[in-house]
Amino acid sequence: MKNIKINLKNRSYLINIDYKLLNLNKKFFSIKRKTKIMLITNVTVDNLWKKKIICFLSKLNAITNKIVLPDGEKYKKLKYVNTIITKLLELSYDRKSILIALGGGVIGDITGFVASIYQRGINFIQIPTTLLSQVDASIGGKTGVNHILGKNMIGSFWQPSCVLVDLEFLNKLPYKELLSGLAEVIKYAIAFDESFFYWLKKNIDKLISLDFKYMSYCIKKCCIIKSKIIENDEKEKKDRFLLNLGHTYGHAIESYLGYGKWLHGEAVSAGIIMAAYTGEELNILEHKYTKNIIKLIKKVKLPIKGPNNMYPNDYLKYMIRDKKTSYDTLRMVIPTKIGEVKLVNISDKKIIISAINKAKQHNY
């Protein structure tokens, strides 16, 4: 088993990574006998893993209940926050109670947000079941829900008590979701680690075929990169912004199409390419790096351009509401080479328009 510690003083916690982790007779957190636990999951995960989870919960020696939500990004909204809170109040959950998020990024984000506001804050545990949530969404304490006018616009920072990454969940992950998760993996490599980028180029087929030796290394690598950034900038005041490579364009795609039409990783993938072309427009990224990025993303069969029916003004409408935007100036994470990114202020919208058009019209 691999353990990675996130050092945040009194909010520190472990990321535990292993295959069949939940089968181990090991206690990852202390539970008092009368503690109330609420497991929050979605209908898909519940159907696939019900037996495994019942077995896991039985080891906790606690009072356990379950809430099963619909599956999909379009359900990450305040309506389901209210559903969860209502159930917690009906069952008299108190400040000593614990929430467990079992699912992908949507379940983790909703559960974490509820934990941050219920009775002004209770503990929660992340058990991510998708690759995207195992390498990214479950770590770092970003929680929240979507608004019709923008993704993740309602939220808070609230760290989990621990994160349990069980690679066994990937066995039943739909192929499209696996590829979506690899978009976030590629993001880490482009933004922070050149050698990891070339490791991915060499071994990407092993990840796609779920070779767990290589997948374990990959997940651990991403968790280590993110943990160091979180430790230095928990509340996204400086370096944590750099984790958003591809997300400014990507979130615009998701908001424009309607949540869930494109998977998050698919939108981020196209967003990374547009961010690279933005770097070229700003003369801070050479085209040879853009070509290298495109080659890897094509190998993973992820989108390399945005939706055909989406035009520059469609992007700008949502990008101007991005959380990094300041005084109507877009602030965007742009690669400067493989393994390095910077946060750039862009006031000239023509640069954005040109980058979007370049990505859209390029003959790949």
Side-chain angles (χ1 to χ4, degrees):
M1 180 164 53
K2 297 169 179 65
N3 293 329
I4 298 159
K5 186 172 185 181
I6 308 261
N7 291 298
L8 293 169
K9 297 181 180 175
N10 63 336
R11 297 179 313 288
S12 297
Y13 56 96
L14 285 178
I15 305 167
N16 306 273
I17 306 168
D18 204 353
Y19 186 78
K20 295 199 172 181
L21 180 71
L22 300 192
N23 293 18
L24 299 175
N25 287 317
K26 178 176 169 57
K27 293 205 172 174
F28 299 98
F29 38 86
S30 59
I31 301 283
K32 292 184 179 174
R33 196 169 58 84
K34 290 186 179 179
T35 301
K36 288 185 174 180
I37 290 177
M38 181 65 79
L39 178 79
I40 299 164
T41 189
N42 66 45
V43 63
T44 304
V45 174
D46 189 52
N47 288 336
L48 287 172
W49 297 103
K50 190 176 288 185
K51 238 170 121 179
K52 182 182 179 81
I53 298 311
I54 289 170
C55 181
F56 173 69
L57 292 175
S58 69
K59 297 176 191 172
L60 300 182
N61 193 30
I63 302 162
T64 57
N65 290 288
K66 181 171 67 174
I67 295 172
V68 180
L69 300 179
D71 184 11
E73 183 77 31
K74 65 183 178 180
Y75 301 109
K76 197 171 99 170
K77 54 187 180 181
L78 286 171
K79 174 183 174 181
Y80 293 99
V81 170
N82 188 58
T83 297
I84 297 167
I85 289 173
T86 300
K87 184 58 98 176
L88 294 175
L89 289 170
E90 285 174 351
L91 296 175
S92 302
Y93 274 61
D94 57 27
R95 285 183 170 177
K96 299 285 174 63
S97 303
I98 298 171
L99 306 184
I100 296 180
L102 176 75
V106 171
I107 289 295
D109 281 4
I110 292 177
T111 304
F113 184 51
V114 171
S116 76
I117 59 174
Y118 185 69
Q119 298 193 7
R120 297 195 175 90
I122 62 174
N123 288 332
F124 87 108
I125 291 154
Q126 288 272 21
I127 306 181
T129 60
T130 66
L131 179 60
L132 192 147
S133 59
Q134 289 182 352
V135 299
D136 192 72
S138 67
I139 306 157
K142 269 191 180 181
T143 77
V145 292
N146 300 326
H147 188 279
I148 193 169
L149 296 178
K151 186 175 166 77
N152 294 332
M153 285 295 164
I154 306 160
S156 60
F157 290 97
W158 192 254
Q159 299 297 340
S161 305
C162 73
V163 180
L164 306 180
V165 176
D166 190 337
L167 276 69
E168 188 185 9
F169 287 118
L170 302 182
N171 282 328
K172 294 184 182 178
L173 188 66
Y175 183 67
K176 206 175 172 190
E177 291 270 7
L178 177 67
L179 301 185
S180 174
L182 286 171
E184 291 284 358
V185 172
I186 291 168
K187 173 203 77 176
Y188 281 116
I190 295 167
F192 304 108
D193 196 320
E194 182 183 15
S195 63
F196 184 41
F197 182 87
Y198 291 106
W199 182 90
L200 286 174
K201 280 191 81 172
K202 184 180 176 184
N203 297 296
I204 199 72
D205 291 336
K206 290 186 172 69
L207 298 178
I208 291 170
S209 63
L210 278 187
D211 183 312
F212 282 104
K213 177 185 167 188
Y214 287 85
M215 186 59 81
S216 178
Y217 171 82
C218 174
I219 291 172
K220 184 183 177 188
K221 184 77 173 172
C222 294
C223 290
I224 288 170
I225 291 171
K226 186 162 186 180
S227 67
K228 298 303 174 197
I229 292 166
I230 301 304
E231 287 169 359
N232 291 327
D233 181 22
E234 182 186 0
K235 299 289 180 70
E236 203 169 49
K237 304 294 183 188
K238 40 179 184 173
D239 293 348
R240 188 166 178 170
F241 277 127
L242 303 179
L243 289 164
N244 289 309
L245 173 64
H247 285 61
T248 306
Y249 287 112
H251 284 173
I253 291 171
E254 290 180 90
S255 299
Y256 175 79
L257 291 179
Y259 302 118
K261 297 287 174 61
W262 276 33
L263 295 176
H264 177 65
E266 292 172 332
V268 166
S269 171
I272 288 171
I273 304 298
M274 284 182 263
Y277 277 114
T278 307
E280 289 189 28
E281 288 294 305
L282 293 166
N283 295 313
I284 59 174
L285 181 72
E286 296 178 48
H287 183 63
K288 66 179 181 181
Y289 295 122
T290 305
K291 280 172 70 177
N292 223 349
I293 292 166
I294 289 169
K295 272 184 193 173
L296 179 55
I297 287 177
K298 280 181 80 173
K299 210 171 177 186
V300 186
K301 301 181 179 67
L302 283 163
I304 46 180
K305 29 174 111 171
N308 290 330
N309 64 339
M310 194 171 176
Y311 299 94
N313 283 336
D314 299 323
Y315 285 89
L316 286 167
K317 183 170 72 172
Y318 292 97
M319 289 167 74
I320 203 67
R321 299 190 192 111
D322 184 84
K323 294 184 289 296
K324 295 183 295 301
T325 297
S326 179
Y327 300 108
D328 289 334
T329 297
L330 287 170
R331 301 169 78 214
M332 199 178 305
V333 181
I334 303 295
T336 54
K337 62 178 185 178
I338 303 295
E340 189 177 284
V341 289
K342 66 188 289 189
L343 188 63
V344 177
N345 293 331
I346 305 173
S347 53
D348 186 355
K349 305 298 186 293
K350 289 178 186 173
I351 291 169
I352 305 293
I353 292 167
S354 180
I356 293 168
N357 285 331
K358 259 192 178 180
K360 199 176 184 70
Q361 294 161 7
H362 190 89
N363 182 10
Y364 297 101

